[in-house]
């Protein structure tokens, strides 16, 4: 990809925010042919079935659990074909399984790699996701274990972001359960609404979403297509393993100190967890 995805202003905004603060960015991917609906319908037919996810998505409670998310009675392919009127949400996961989308992901992330790597080190476990959503679709409150840039290609949406690892919203035990295989959706309390930082994006705009920042999303009046490109860092893997180690301690009756938030590291607990895992514990 010869042309830059981000302009100078976007590079500066990301540099000023990364890694702990969100950033509202601009990009040049809105008209990319791999992100039009025909191309995405074709991609869905080539993807592994386990990397396709879809559900009903209109009028969802913000604190709905993963297990209670309603189905829409359609196949994922019919959902994409009827996305303008079926009140649903489709997620294409690990799009890098397709060579064309893998190349797109690598090119975009390579552009920002020097900026990212001077702060949090090498970009690890890079993955791509595409969200295809009906008008007024809701993505409930959750957090992600990756750093993420969400690129809007069609329609518009608002993401409501909360501070990284907000202790009122994400308790330590929630982290511990998640990194042991638990769900990522979070419970919701209405008094939190005033604390959100809402960022709305249209085609040609993007949001840098910090690691561990709770957020919920709603599309506006049109079908929405968004590309999410994510990566991990050594710090993020140490944090996850420290959470697993804290869970071990808690099950032994110990009340562990909460895991640290960047830039403080969690290496001692992480290495203990990794050693116990290697020993089969």
């Amino acid at each position: 990809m010869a042309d830059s995805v981000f302009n100078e202003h976007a590079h500066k905004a990301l540099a000023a925010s990364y890694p702990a603060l969100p950033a509202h960015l601009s990009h040049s991917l809105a008209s990319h042919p791999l992100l039009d609906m025909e191309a995405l319908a074709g991609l869905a037919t080539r993807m592994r079935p386990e990397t396709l996810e879809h559900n009903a998505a209109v009028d969802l409670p913000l604190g709905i659990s993963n297990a209670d998310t309603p189905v829409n009675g359609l196949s994922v392919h019919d959902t994409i074909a009827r996305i303008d009127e079926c009140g649903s949400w489709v997620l294409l996961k690990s799009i890098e399984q397709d060579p064309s989308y893998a190349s797109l992901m690598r090119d975009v992330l390579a552009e920002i790699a020097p900026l990212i790597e001077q702060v949090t080190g090498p970009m690890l476990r890079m993955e791509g996701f595409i969200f295809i959503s009906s008008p007024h679709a809701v993505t409930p409150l959750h957090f992600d274990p990756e750093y993420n840039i969400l690129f809007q290609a069609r329609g518009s949406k608002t993401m409501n972001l909360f501070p990284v690892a907000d202790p009122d919203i994400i308790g330590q035990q929630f982290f511990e359960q998640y990194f042991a295989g638990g769900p990522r959706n979070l419970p919701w309390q209405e008094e939190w609404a005033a604390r959100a930082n809402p960022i709305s994006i249209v085609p040609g705009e993007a949001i840098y979403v910090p690691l561990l920042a709770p957020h919920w999303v709603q599309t506006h009046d049109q079908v929405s297509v968004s590309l999410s490109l994510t990566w991990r860092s050594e710090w993020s893997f140490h944090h996850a393993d420290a959470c697993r180690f804290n869970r071990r301690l808690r099950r032994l009756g110990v009340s562990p100190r909460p895991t640290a938030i960047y830039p403080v590291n969690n290496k001692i607990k992480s290495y203990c967890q990794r050693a116990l895992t290697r020993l089969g514990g």
Side-chain angles (χ1 to χ4, degrees):
M1 189 165 55
D3 297 330
S4 295
V5 173
F6 301 101
N7 60 25
E8 183 180 359
H9 178 76
H11 278 277
K12 289 180 178 178
L14 183 59
S17 300
Y18 186 79
L21 298 174
H24 192 168
L25 311 171
S26 56
H27 67 85
S28 63
L29 294 178
S31 60
H32 197 289
L34 290 179
L35 299 179
D36 69 32
M37 289 299 294
E38 183 177 356
L40 297 177
L43 172 64
T45 67
R46 302 191 298 273
M47 292 181 66
R48 301 187 302 273
E50 69 273 15
T51 60
L52 301 172
E53 184 178 335
H54 68 297
N55 54 258
V58 174
D59 296 325
L60 292 185
L62 296 185
I64 193 170
S65 69
N66 296 79
D68 292 334
T69 304
V71 299
N72 67 3
L74 300 171
S75 72
V76 66
H77 304 290
D78 287 340
T79 299
I80 294 173
R82 297 173 54 186
I83 197 65
D84 60 333
E85 48 86 19
C86 67
S88 298
W89 171 90
V90 175
L91 172 59
L92 309 181
K93 300 187 288 188
S94 301
I95 60 171
E96 65 277 3
Q97 66 191 270
D98 183 277
S100 296
Y101 289 85
S103 178
L104 173 63
M105 179 188 73
R106 288 194 300 268
D107 288 346
V108 174
L109 293 183
E111 183 178 326
I112 60 170
L115 182 160
I116 299 302
E117 293 180 352
Q118 69 180 354
V119 180
T120 55
M123 300 173 80
L124 308 174
R125 196 179 290 177
M126 294 177 286
E127 295 181 283
F129 306 83
I130 292 174
F131 301 89
I132 308 169
S133 308
S134 296
H136 309 295
V138 172
T139 303
L141 184 68
H142 67 287
F143 84 97
D144 299 311
E146 310 95 358
Y147 310 89
N148 172 26
I149 298 180
L150 183 75
F151 300 82
Q152 194 68 9
R154 174 177 174 176
S156 59
K157 61 177 47 172
T158 298
M159 178 179 287
N160 297 271
L161 288 128
F162 297 87
V164 168
D166 187 317
D168 292 331
I169 297 176
I170 310 183
Q172 285 297 311
Q173 292 190 54
F174 188 94
F175 277 137
E176 294 165 18
Q177 292 165 4
Y178 171 78
F179 287 113
R184 72 175 61 189
N185 280 9
L186 291 154
W188 172 254
Q189 296 183 28
E190 194 59 39
E191 61 263 29
W192 295 341
R195 295 161 55 182
N197 173 19
I199 301 178
S200 297
I201 50 174
V202 299
E205 296 181 337
I207 304 171
Y208 163 65
V209 185
L211 173 84
L212 310 182
H215 55 279
W216 68 273
V217 185
Q218 185 164 33
T219 60
H220 298 166
D221 296 332
Q222 300 174 320
V223 168
S224 169
V225 173
S226 304
L227 168 68
S228 176
L229 298 182
T230 72
W231 64 95
R232 300 285 297 272
S233 67
E234 181 185 23
W235 185 93
S236 77
F237 285 118
H238 281 305
H239 174 267
D241 279 329
C243 288
R244 297 182 182 105
F245 186 71
N246 273 1
R247 181 175 171 84
R248 287 179 182 269
L249 295 178
R250 203 176 299 280
R251 293 169 71 179
L252 293 173
V254 177
S255 295
R257 180 176 297 179
T259 48
I261 298 302
Y262 187 88
V264 181
N265 70 61
N266 297 279
K267 289 184 178 180
I268 294 175
K269 288 182 177 179
S270 173
Y271 288 138
C272 288
Q273 169 65 19
R274 295 176 188 186
L276 290 169
T277 300
R278 285 195 296 269
L279 292 172

